[in-house]
Amino acid sequence: MSKTTPANVKLTLYGKPIELKFSAPTEKVTPVAMLPALHRINNTFVETAVAAFVADQETISCQAGCGACCRQVVPLAEFEAYQIAGVVEQLPEPRRSAVKQRFADACEKLDAIQWLSRLEQMLAEGTNHEAVQQHALSYFQQGVPCPFLEAESCSIHPVRPLACREYLVTSPAEHCQNPTPEHVRHIELKFQVSKIVRKLWRTSHIKDLDSVPMIYALQWVKKHPNQFPKKRGEAWLREFFDYMANP
């Protein structure tokens, strides 16, 4: 475990002053070690957005036992792929082998329709955003559940990816079976930690894709060793908040 120091940051978000309290590593680390701080920042950003934009008569539909959204493609920041692989390796047997098999089975199903290679080709050719979004929807149509989905609930909820934390809806849960703009009302987040770090922290491994689809995370880390530089936690956080202020 890296040594940490308390960190406080004050800022205004959606017109509301907030104070962030978290811990940052004092040693030089890769961005993977920054995820506990980023998770806390992300949670606060989301809670602030919900308070600002969800009307009194509305409620967040997302809850344990409703895993419809857990069949969508989950974009990971490059360094999150290493975290997800680490989470899997830390699972006790026989659960570890079972989760690895779920990853492998899902990738095999997606490879059968050349889902990832088609996505890479579309991005390399500069295909418009709407077409790329439609291709992402084709992932959902394959009915591939997240390997961590158990009893329709997230089995790694405390360490789930940044993008998963930002996906909240106020429309009826049953509409998530058909996640189109006509059916699903999302909480729109101006400040998305997942998108900030995907743009800010990446290596030469990432080319046309700006993220790693989570379902391919285990394959990704085998092919791409962690090449991120090491910096003190304070330096990583300064980069993050500087970029947030001046994207």
Side-chain angles (χ1 to χ4, degrees):
M1 294 291 290
S2 299
K3 295 181 179 179
T4 61
T5 185
N8 290 354
V9 175
K10 295 182 179 181
L11 67 159
T12 299
L13 202 64
Y14 307 116
K16 178 182 178 180
I18 63 172
E19 183 175 5
L20 297 166
K21 296 183 178 181
F22 47 87
S23 297
T26 56
E27 302 171 0
K28 289 186 175 182
V29 295
T30 71
V32 180
M34 298 304 300
L35 277 165
L38 292 171
H39 288 163
R40 184 173 290 273
I41 293 168
N42 189 307
N43 293 346
T44 301
F45 282 11
V46 171
E47 291 165 3
T48 306
V50 169
F53 300 121
V54 177
D56 292 338
Q57 67 272 21
E58 291 183 314
T59 58
I60 301 299
S61 305
C62 311
Q63 58 184 328
C66 177
C69 65
C70 301
R71 289 167 175 81
Q72 298 187 58
V73 59
V74 177
L76 299 181
E78 181 184 351
F79 61 92
E80 285 187 284
Y82 302 111
Q83 179 238 8
I84 288 296
V87 168
V88 173
E89 289 301 328
Q90 291 170 9
L91 294 174
E93 289 290 7
R95 186 167 172 236
R96 178 169 65 242
S97 294
V99 170
K100 284 184 175 181
Q101 190 60 52
R102 292 175 204 162
F103 271 95
D105 291 344
C107 290
E108 182 177 359
K109 185 172 184 178
L110 291 166
D111 288 344
I113 63 168
Q114 299 181 320
W115 184 85
L116 182 59
S117 60
R118 288 177 60 199
L119 175 62
E120 292 173 332
Q121 181 180 1
M122 292 172 76
L123 295 174
E125 294 174 350
T127 304
N128 65 61
H129 177 74
E130 290 74 17
V132 173
Q133 288 296 100
Q134 190 62 35
H135 184 66
L137 188 59
S138 71
Y139 180 108
F140 180 84
Q141 293 166 346
Q142 293 300 307
V144 176
C146 171
F148 298 114
L149 187 66
E150 298 177 358
E152 292 301 304
S153 296
C154 178
S155 64
I156 61 163
H157 197 263
V159 292
R160 67 195 186 282
L162 293 165
C164 296
R165 297 164 189 264
E166 297 167 345
Y167 190 89
L168 295 173
V169 303
T170 57
S171 47
E174 58 267 23
H175 288 184
C176 293
Q177 301 294 334
N178 182 23
T180 62
E182 295 78 20
H183 293 88
V184 177
R185 295 191 302 275
H186 299 96
I187 302 299
E188 297 298 332
L189 303 177
K190 180 179 180 181
F191 302 101
Q192 292 182 261
V193 175
S194 66
K195 289 187 176 179
I196 292 173
V197 296
R198 292 207 309 262
K199 293 178 181 178
L200 184 59
W201 299 333
R202 53 199 293 182
T203 73
S204 59
H205 291 324
I206 293 283
K207 294 182 175 61
D208 296 313
L209 288 172
D210 73 344
S211 60
V212 178
M214 192 186 74
I215 205 67
Y216 287 97
L218 302 191
Q219 291 186 15
W220 172 270
V221 299
K222 286 183 178 180
K223 296 178 181 177
H224 305 94
N226 189 341
Q227 292 183 347
F228 279 98
K230 290 187 176 183
K231 305 177 186 179
R232 290 185 174 85
E234 179 184 359
W236 287 116
L237 289 171
R238 186 181 299 112
E239 285 184 12
F240 174 86
F241 286 108
D242 285 349
Y243 185 88
M244 180 179 166
N246 301 286

